[in-house]
């Protein structure tokens, strides 16, 4: 029996090695794809060698302003370095997409403009956090709010596909919203839209606040397209308090994540904290390669 067991083990290991050697090898290069939220940080980002910027939908794409008013930001996007890859802050708080005051027609028109302008300047991902827009009012049916949200996403999915821009739901901690607080919850909603252009992000700050396990990243792999990061206690930059992100990084590596990660932090001295944050993340990523 022992000999048979050893033979089966040898065959299994040999098969695993053969499988690993077949097809292209995966390289976990997240350390080369770090960015920062806020176009106002462009100079610091360029000096520190970051890969990209993450803009604000409401402030930069200006979806309810005219194309003429947007022209200056469009021109800036063509020259700014590092380039703008993504944008967050999807809706202002007065545009409701769930609840009795939901204004879906306004939200759809706003989104269509945002998606078109994002495509025009090369933005690939729009992050839909917007706690004020999606929080469920007290007494309103949670089931109905969920249906409203999915129906809204289905309405804008064709425009997202036409423009080649992904709308990524951002799960937020319960202190900010009572709707979509975990990555698997966001991923499931994205699946139910039936669109490849509706996805989810993993914000490691919110995950830590919610005590989400790294397995939530693994279970949402099919819909995960983007990440945010900050330390858990005070939303400080990596390296300030010394948070260890490697459990989450290992989960990202295990799903062969090839997206990007934005620093979304509170900065006291960005000139010194940003290089430290980059160094910290690169060291943690390198430690699991």
């Amino acid at each position: 029996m022992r000999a048979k067991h050893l033979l089966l083990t040898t065959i299994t290991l040999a098969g695993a090695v053969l499988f690993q050697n077949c097809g292209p090898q995966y390289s976990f290069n997240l350390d080369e794809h770090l960015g920062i939220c806020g176009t106002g940080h462009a100079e610091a980002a360029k000096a520190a060698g970051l890969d990209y910027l993450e803009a604000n939908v409401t402030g930069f794409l200006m979806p309810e302003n005219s194309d003429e008013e947007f022209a200056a930001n469009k021109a800036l996007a063509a020259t700014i370095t590092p380039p703008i890859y993504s944008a967050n802050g999807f809706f202002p708080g007065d545009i409701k997409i769930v609840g009795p005051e939901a204004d879906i027609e306004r939200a759809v028109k706003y989104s269509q403009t945002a998606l078109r302008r994002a495509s025009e300047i090369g933005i690939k991902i729009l992050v839909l956090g917007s706690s004020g827009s999606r929080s469920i009012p007290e007494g309103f049916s949670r089931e109905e709010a969920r249906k409203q949200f999915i129906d809204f996403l289905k309405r804008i999915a064709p425009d997202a596909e036409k423009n080649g821009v992904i709308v990524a739901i951002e799960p937020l901690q319960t202190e900010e919203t009572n709707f979509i607080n975990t990555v698997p919850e966001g991923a499931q909603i994205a699946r139910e839209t039936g669109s490849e252009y509706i996805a989810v992000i993993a914000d490691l700050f919110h995950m830590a606040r919610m005590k989400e396990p790294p397995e939530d990243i693994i279970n949402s792999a099919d819909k995960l397209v983007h990440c945010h990061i900050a330390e858990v206690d005070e939303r400080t930059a990596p390296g300030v308090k010394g948070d260890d992100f490697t459990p989450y990084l290992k989960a990202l590596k295990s799903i062969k994540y090839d997206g990007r990660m934005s620093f979304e932090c509170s900065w006291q001295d960005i000139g010194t904290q940003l290089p430290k944050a980059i160094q910290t993340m690169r060291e943690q990523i390198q430690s699991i390669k």
Side-chain angles (χ1 to χ4, degrees), residues 10-189:
T10 302
I11 291 172
T12 301
L13 290 174
V17 171
L18 179 61
F19 178 78
Q20 289 174 355
N21 289 334
C22 291
Q25 295 296 302
Y26 169 70
S27 296
F28 186 55
N29 292 327
L30 185 58
D31 48 335
E32 300 175 10
H33 299 296
L34 299 173
I36 189 171
C37 295
T39 53
H41 297 316
E43 288 189 14
K46 182 179 179 181
L50 283 178
D51 184 51
Y52 69 95
L53 300 171
E54 183 162 320
N56 180 277
V57 175
T58 302
F60 197 87
L61 296 181
M62 307 166 63
E64 293 195 306
N65 292 64
S66 68
D67 285 347
E68 289 73 22
E69 291 172 298
F70 170 63
N73 284 351
K74 184 176 180 179
L76 175 62
T79 59
I80 197 170
T81 55
I84 304 171
Y85 170 78
S86 50
N88 59 35
F90 201 106
F91 286 117
D94 66 324
I95 298 183
K96 306 297 183 183
I97 51 178
V98 305
E101 298 181 4
D103 189 344
I104 301 302
E105 295 308 316
R106 180 186 174 192
V108 168
K109 182 178 179 182
Y110 176 102
S111 302
Q112 288 171 336
T113 301
L115 288 162
R116 173 176 60 82
R117 290 179 179 173
S119 178
E120 288 173 356
I121 64 177
I123 290 176
K124 303 300 183 185
I125 294 174
L126 297 185
V127 177
L128 176 50
S130 305
S131 60
S133 297
R134 78 175 198 230
S135 291
I136 303 171
E138 185 176 354
F140 191 78
S141 165
R142 189 172 193 83
E143 181 179 349
E144 178 60 25
R146 191 176 189 278
K147 183 179 183 301
Q148 286 178 315
F149 191 71
I150 293 173
D151 287 346
F152 160 71
L153 292 173
K154 287 180 176 179
R155 286 278 304 274
I156 67 171
D159 288 278
E161 181 172 4
K162 179 177 70 175
N163 288 288
V165 179
I166 294 173
V167 175
I169 303 163
E170 181 179 24
L172 303 170
Q173 61 179 311
T174 52
E175 285 78 3
E176 296 187 23
T177 184
N178 59 1
F179 181 43
I180 313 177
N181 304 117
T182 68
V183 177
E185 185 180 2
Q188 182 56 33
I189 286 175

Side-chain angles (χ1 to χ4, degrees), residues 6 35 66 134 230 238 262 269 281:
L6 288 172
S66 68
R134 78 175 198 230
S262 305
D269 180 1
M281 290 314 302

Side-chain angles (χ1 to χ4, degrees), residues 55 137 279:
Q279 178 187 356

